Amino acid sequence: RRKKPAPDSVWEAMRQMNVTAGECVYIGDSEVDIKTANSAGVDLICVLWGFRSEAQLKSAGAEKLVSNADELLREILTI
């Protein structure tokens, strides 16, 4: 398999779980995660406790950002 941002790992995980892109959400904290989710065709939630700042993630195209686990759970449940 190719490495991120190629979608191979995401697609393999989806295959093993027998789910579609519409049933998945990618949780990430970097620009490469944003590219990976986009290339795999899955929804994305970026967390603000990782490698990049909110400004960096937004400039890379992140739309859903969360700052704690409670917010993450709420976002997951609304997708």
Side-chain angles (χ1 to χ4, degrees), residues 1 7-20 24:
R1 272 177 292 226
D8 302 27
S9 296
V10 177
W11 289 344
E12 178 61 16
M14 289 168 42
R15 186 194 67 74
Q16 288 183 23
M17 292 184 286
N18 196 33
V19 297
T20 66
C24 297

Side-chain angles (χ1 to χ4, degrees), residues 30-32 34-35 38 44 54-62:
S30 69
E31 298 88 345
V32 73
I34 294 167
K35 290 178 184 177
N38 289 336
L44 168 72
E54 183 173 355
Q56 289 171 308
L57 293 170
K58 283 183 176 179
S59 71

